Amino acid sequence: MFSTRTPTSRAAVALVASLALFGLAACGGGSDDAKTEKTASATPAPAETTADSAAASGDLPDWAKPATQVGDKIATVKAGDITVDVYQVGVTQATKTGQFVDPETNKPIIDEGDDIVFVNYVITNTGAPIDLGASLVDVQARYKDWKFMQGMDSIVDSALFEQENVNTEGFAPGKFKEPAIFTFGKGQSYSVGENFRYQKNSPITFKVGAVPVDDKADLLHDDKVEGEGSGTIK
């Protein structure tokens, strides 16, 4: 089942809600101000503007942040008329400890200073306009060898997202509204990014889901669209 929260909050909320169910223990992280941003690792992939992104048309929903087009494409996933192009952006270091530890090793899944990789999702509607709720289009990434059922750990640090030129969420400032009805028009695109522990040359799967809403912002679960694709983190 796909969530109904914004991309920024999705990772933290989903992980917290999964503590008891999946046996991961919380691990505290410091504040952004208390951590010194570290330089990129020796193996970063430089961010490059892509020419083939569907977002190049510049057709942006009125509620969305401008789409960023950075990185190298590693996968394309289709869910109904929605297409998600996945780009590997770059590798940097975690500025804080992640939110969970591996119960088998009692060590953080992401520790301060560990290499993390950023990916960018350019999301395009190729079909008829669709009304989406607060979660917009949900993308969930899993390494092939990821051993937990819930989502992969990530670092919530807006400065790192800005550094990698990816959006923390799809909504432009002041554009979120109630009732949560956001029309995603034909040919329109927006982008969001996320990060997780860097595993070089690792196969990875991306699951995409979107649940439309009616004119009262109620979710139309019978009309949800889903898709799955795979790629490799280089």
Side-chain angles (χ1 to χ4, degrees):
M1 180 177 294
F2 293 93
S3 62
T4 56
R5 42 188 178 268
T6 63
T8 303
S9 63
R10 180 169 60 243
V13 174
L15 291 171
V16 170
S18 304
L19 270 174
L21 185 57
F22 304 113
L24 295 183
C27 182
S31 67
D32 293 350
D33 293 338
K35 303 295 182 182
T36 301
E37 186 175 295
K38 299 186 178 182
T39 58
S41 72
T43 58
E48 297 178 355
T49 300
T50 60
D52 61 343
S53 171
S57 67
D59 195 356
L60 188 72
D62 60 8
W63 42 261
K65 287 183 177 180
T68 65
Q69 304 166 55
V70 290
D72 298 318
K73 186 187 289 188
I74 60 172
T76 295
V77 186
K78 293 184 179 296
D81 291 326
I82 293 173
T83 298
V84 178
D85 290 320
V86 183
Y87 297 86
Q88 181 174 334
V89 180
V91 178
T92 188
Q93 284 76 50
T95 53
K96 63 178 83 172
T97 300
Q99 300 166 81
F100 297 100
V101 299
D102 184 331
E104 296 178 3
T105 64
N106 205 33
K107 294 181 179 180
I109 293 175
I110 300 177
D111 207 351
E112 181 179 353
D114 283 348
D115 284 347
I116 56 175
V117 62
F118 273 82
V119 293
N120 191 39
Y121 305 126
V122 179
I123 302 168
T124 303
N125 179 18
T126 63
I130 180 175
D131 288 337
L132 299 174
S135 65
L136 301 179
V137 176
D138 187 67
V139 185
Q140 299 181 10
R142 301 283 193 284
Y143 281 126
K144 185 176 180 180
D145 62 355
W146 181 250
K147 56 188 177 181
F148 305 111
M149 293 182 67
Q150 42 64 246
M152 295 198 293
D153 201 4
S154 63
I155 298 300
V156 181
D157 184 338
S158 58
L160 282 182
F161 279 79
E162 183 176 354
Q163 171 186 299
E164 299 299 325
N165 195 29
V166 296
N167 294 326
T168 58
E169 62 179 337
F171 296 109
K175 292 298 185 177
F176 186 84
K177 63 182 182 180
E178 295 288 355
I181 304 173
F182 304 96
T183 301
F184 195 19
K186 181 175 182 178
Q188 292 185 335
S189 299
Y190 73 98
S191 71
V192 293
E194 72 169 326
N195 64 72
F196 37 80
R197 186 179 179 86
Y198 178 54
Q199 292 184 187
K200 188 175 182 180
N201 298 325
S202 288
I204 190 168
T205 297
F206 301 94
K207 292 184 178 181
V208 173
V211 182
V213 297
D214 62 18
D215 57 5
K216 297 181 180 178
D218 292 329
L219 295 171
L220 301 173
H221 291 287
D222 290 342
D223 296 328
K224 70 180 178 181
V225 293
E226 297 178 285
E228 182 174 320
S230 60
T232 300
I233 293 295
K234 303 173 184 177

